[in-house]
Amino acid sequence: MTDGSNGPEEERYRAVLEVVLDHSGAATELSAWLKDGSWRVRKAAAERLAQVPDRTEALEVLFAALSERGEPGVRNAAAEALAKMGPRALEPVAGLLRHSDPDQRKFAAEILGQMGLPRAEPALLPVLHDDDPNVRAAAAEALGRVGGPDSVRLLQLALSVDEPLLQLCALEALAALEAPPPLPALASLLEQPLLRRGAYRLTAQLPEAPAAELIGRGLSLPAARQAALGALGELWQRWPVERGAELENVLRPFALALTDAQPWVQVALEDEDDSVRRGAVFLVGLAGGTLPLLPIAEAAGDPVLAPVAAQVLSRVGSSAGRALLAQLPGLSLQARAVVGEALLRAVDSDWVPALLELSTQGEPDLHLFAVRALGRTGDARALTPVVLALGEPSVAHAAARALRRLGRGHRERTCQLLAERIEQQPSAAAILAYARIAGAEAAATLQRLRRQPDPTLRAAAVEGAAETGEGDPPLRLGLSDEAAIVRAAAARALGRLAPTLAEPLLRLGLGDASAEVRLAAIDAAAESSCQGTVPQLEQAAGEPDGQVASHAIRALVRLGALGPELVWTASRHPDPEVVKEVLQGTASLAEGERLALSLLAHPRWDVRAAAARALGSGGSKGSSAALEQVRTALNTEADPLVRQCLAETARVLGRR
């Protein structure tokens, strides 16, 4: 083997990957690459060292590398490899916590934290009292990744120790564990510059009025403002939605008292910290129009800020909302989507001219928004442009919904315009809209349209029959149509019939050769609450077609007919989406916990993750046996995403 620093980087990288791991000396050979000048080569060597089957040899060379002073790259790579070994290296690394060299003890604490294994907690707890302050701080940080109730108790006690580094790490660890101490303990730390951000972050984890007041006071203090804004953004995320008015009432006086807010709010909107930016957006909403809305509209294009921006913009009045309409074309597509959705709540009849102008901009998303908003104006002037929009596939469905809204106040005119449109240029969207608004008055027109050569028009006329009260005859004929699209439309319409009327026709649809028709019939059976279709739905749940099987499982859950035997049969379906559907459907059933625990060993990572999430959901009671099995799975799981789900579920179950 050549020295790790010679040759092109790619050759060295390939050499690392070509080392045979199950040969004697593999760990020693790989350890030489930990000194390479390329971080990519060092990273590859660390990853492969973690996979060496001979644990004794791997640990020997990694511990030797860990002790090489003056070689930070080597030591960091060795630490990374030990962390990746996970349970295989836990006990040996924990043994380093008793090393005479504080540097080694600090590395050991950091590695145990990176492993993220709850089993490391007992070894780390005593290290909070280590003789070396850096080791104590590293132990506090590590407990933030692996700790439980005992860690929380000791970390909260550490906040009262006059040792800023330990206090800082304890604050960060408690924030990671989501275990804030009582508010008085935090209030005293808010005055200390080094601890301020961490203390504010934990204050935001207490969704109560006194915590909100502390954060509000911080907004008026220049030195604390950024940390307070970050806490405000965090608090907004955590505060229960049903108590939103309470939060706003507490904080609004502080926001209105800020006379110099505009410059620093603008700066905060560009901060790197997501919580700071989120807090700035929320603050604008609290200020009640005293701060400009355009920056919030622009911020809505950021997925992180979109939820809070949508909330702020949804509260604007009609006048302010109409002013923002002119700004929509200049926003990003993402921002337009959020702003448009929020502005729909402020629409009134005064917007009609501006919306008609917006619909002519030539941009599909603006046209779609304009059609939806016109439907909310309740104004007769909106009828003609919305009826015309039925002929445009990209906005037809939105136009149909808009017409149903407009039809409530202008039924006769709406029906007249739709009848004329169908006569001149029929479309599926116009036919369905006419059937839903005109009802029985549309029966004759639909009967004529069911003889159209175009199957899409026949399908719309058949589906519309359920809206006119015609019932069985047209739907039965539709189920025998040569075109699957027509049969599927008839099957969908069955969901709007009474179970006794729908059942014989649903049986026809459930036995159709087309998967499209069967899917429509399955969904209709659930919608109509037709218990008589359960045997056919159970049969569909076993179909090889994953989509059909998933829909059947969902329908059986809605009908309350998903039996234990079928649960276990479906959980072995080759399509993972079917298995996840069963998991979701049994979350609140007695069989759910047992099923989810069994699927923690499923070969598919996404199914294991879904099983972990199901166990942590509100529907699972979370027995002590379940918690133990989740922890066992966490100690052996290799996939990082599944480990994350398992760790979160373990925390949730541990609190129950």
Side-chain angles (χ1 to χ4, degrees):
M1 185 192 73
T2 59
D3 184 84
S5 60
N6 294 330
E9 179 188 21
E10 188 62 26
E11 291 181 14
R12 305 197 308 273
Y13 180 76
R14 289 181 62 85
V16 170
L17 299 183
E18 290 168 0
V19 173
V20 180
L21 298 183
D22 58 359
H23 283 192
S24 177
T28 302
E29 184 177 356
L30 285 167
S31 68
W33 296 107
L34 294 177
K35 300 181 179 180
D36 195 274
S38 164
W39 70 270
R40 183 166 169 253
V41 174
R42 294 196 303 271
K43 185 175 186 295
E47 289 175 349
R48 303 221 71 207
L49 271 164
Q51 300 166 9
V52 170
D54 189 338
R55 186 184 79 148
T56 302
E57 182 189 1
L59 290 172
E60 182 180 343
V61 300
L62 288 171
F63 282 170
L66 204 62
S67 64
E68 290 198 31
R69 291 185 178 275
E71 293 282 357
V74 175
R75 302 179 86 187
N76 290 335
E80 181 181 350
L82 287 164
K84 287 181 181 296
M85 288 180 72
R88 297 174 63 214
L90 191 150
E91 289 187 14
V93 172
L96 283 181
L97 293 171
R98 298 185 294 273
H99 199 284
S100 59
D101 184 352
D103 202 40
Q104 293 290 292
R105 300 199 298 274
K106 177 176 177 292
F107 260 120
E110 291 172 348
I111 294 167
L112 291 173
Q114 290 168 30
M115 286 181 183
L117 301 172
R119 286 166 43 198
E121 183 187 31
L124 285 164
L125 286 172
V127 187
L128 284 175
H129 304 291
D130 193 276
D131 293 337
D132 188 278
N134 292 321
V135 178
R136 293 194 293 271
E141 286 184 342
L143 287 169
R145 295 172 179 243
V146 304
D150 290 338
S151 296
V152 169
R153 181 176 55 82
L154 291 181
L155 288 167
Q156 290 185 354
L157 287 174
L159 294 179
S160 60
V161 177
D162 187 16
E163 186 177 327
L165 180 58
L166 178 60
Q167 289 175 301
L168 178 62
C169 293
L171 284 170
E172 295 300 324
L174 289 168
L177 294 171
E178 298 192 351
L183 199 57
L186 290 170
S188 61
L189 302 177
L190 294 174
E191 305 298 324
Q192 302 182 42
L194 179 65
L195 307 179
R196 182 176 289 139
R197 182 175 291 275
Y200 267 114
R201 184 181 175 194
L202 274 170
T203 302
Q205 292 186 4
L206 292 165
E208 53 191 55
E213 289 178 10
L214 273 179
I215 293 170
R217 291 194 190 100
L219 295 172
S220 63
L221 304 173
R225 187 170 287 154
Q226 188 181 42
L229 270 178
L232 183 62
E234 183 82 12
L235 186 66
W236 179 85
Q237 275 196 308
R238 293 175 176 275
W239 196 272
V241 175
E242 64 275 10
R243 292 172 50 207
E246 178 189 354
L247 176 64
E248 293 179 14
N249 290 337
V250 171
L251 289 169
R252 187 171 288 111
F254 296 105
L256 293 175
L258 298 171
T259 57
D260 63 338
Q262 185 171 341
W264 55 262
V265 166
Q266 186 64 52
V267 172
L269 286 170
E270 300 171 4
D271 198 275
E272 293 182 357
D273 189 321
D274 291 342
S275 293
V276 172
R277 291 185 291 135
R278 192 183 295 113
V281 173
F282 185 41
L283 182 63
V284 171
L286 292 168
T290 62
L291 293 171
L293 287 173
L294 182 57
I296 304 308
E298 292 169 340
D302 185 333
V304 171
L305 302 180
V308 64
Q311 178 184 307
V312 169
L313 294 169
S314 67
R315 308 279 181 85
V316 305
S318 177
S319 176
R322 190 169 65 253
L324 276 178
L325 284 181
Q327 308 293 336
L328 281 179
L331 300 177
S332 68
L333 286 174
Q334 295 88 341
R336 286 180 193 170
V338 176
V339 175
E341 202 66 37
L343 290 182
L344 286 173
R345 303 185 185 187
V347 174
D348 65 23
S349 59
D350 291 340
W351 290 33
V352 172
L355 290 170
L356 293 176
E357 173 65 25
L358 194 66
S359 68
T360 64
Q361 295 284 325
E363 299 189 54
D365 64 305
L366 294 179
H367 190 192
L368 177 61
F369 165 74
V371 168
R372 294 177 66 198
L374 283 167
R376 291 172 180 257
T377 63
D379 196 296
R381 292 173 294 173
L383 283 170
T384 298
V386 174
V387 168
L388 290 174
L390 288 170
E392 303 175 49
S394 61
V395 297
H397 289 298
R401 290 193 296 270
L403 280 174
R404 290 201 293 274
R405 283 177 172 269
L406 291 167
R408 294 168 192 163
H410 310 280
R411 184 179 181 278
E412 185 176 345
R413 179 60 176 157
T414 304
C415 291
Q416 178 189 350
L417 289 171
L418 282 169
E420 293 173 356
R421 180 68 176 173
I422 290 169
E423 189 66 32
Q424 298 164 6
Q425 190 177 346
S427 68
I431 293 167
L432 283 171
Y434 185 45
R436 286 165 182 163
I437 296 170
E441 296 173 23
T445 300
L446 294 182
Q447 187 175 4
R448 175 174 55 82
L449 290 166
R450 288 196 289 272
R451 296 191 293 272
Q452 283 277 340
D454 185 340
T456 60
L457 299 182
R458 294 204 308 275
V462 166
E463 189 168 353
E467 308 289 345
T468 65
E470 293 179 271
D472 187 310
L475 296 180
R476 186 179 293 274
L477 286 172
L479 286 169
S480 62
D481 196 280
E482 62 182 14
I485 186 176
V486 179
R487 302 199 303 276
R492 278 195 301 275
L494 294 173
R496 296 192 284 280
L497 299 184
T500 52
L501 295 175
E503 184 177 330
L505 299 180
L506 281 169
R507 287 176 178 165
L508 292 175
L510 290 168
D512 199 278
S514 166
E516 178 188 2
V517 179
R518 293 201 303 279
L519 282 170
I522 289 168
D523 294 343
E527 186 181 351
S528 67
S529 301
C530 189
Q531 294 288 337
T533 60
V534 166
Q536 280 180 285
L537 291 174
E538 289 177 334
Q539 185 177 356
E543 284 199 28
D545 186 317
Q547 190 177 17
V548 171
S550 293
H551 279 244
I553 293 292
R554 197 177 311 145
L556 288 165
V557 170
R558 285 186 61 181
L559 293 171
L562 184 62
E565 184 176 348
L566 182 56
V567 165
W568 291 98
T569 301
S571 71
R572 296 189 291 273
H573 197 283
D575 190 324
E577 297 307 314
V578 178
V579 182
K580 286 186 274 187
E581 192 68 53
V582 177
L583 267 171
Q584 184 175 344
T586 58
S588 59
L589 303 179
E591 205 71 12
E593 182 174 283
R594 197 157 66 90
L595 174 66
L597 288 171
S598 73
L599 291 173
L600 292 177
H602 196 276
R604 292 271 310 204
W605 73 268
D606 53 335
V607 174
R608 299 198 302 276
R613 285 192 291 268
L615 288 165
S617 70
S620 173
K621 294 180 180 178
S623 63
S624 57
L627 175 58
E628 186 58 34
Q629 288 190 56
V630 168
R631 286 176 172 167
T632 299
L634 178 59
N635 286 332
T636 57
E637 178 60 59
D639 188 281
L641 292 176
V642 182
R643 285 180 56 79
Q644 184 178 346
C645 294
L646 287 166
E648 177 59 27
T649 295
R651 283 195 290 271
V652 170
L653 295 181
R655 292 196 293 265
R656 291 182 186 169

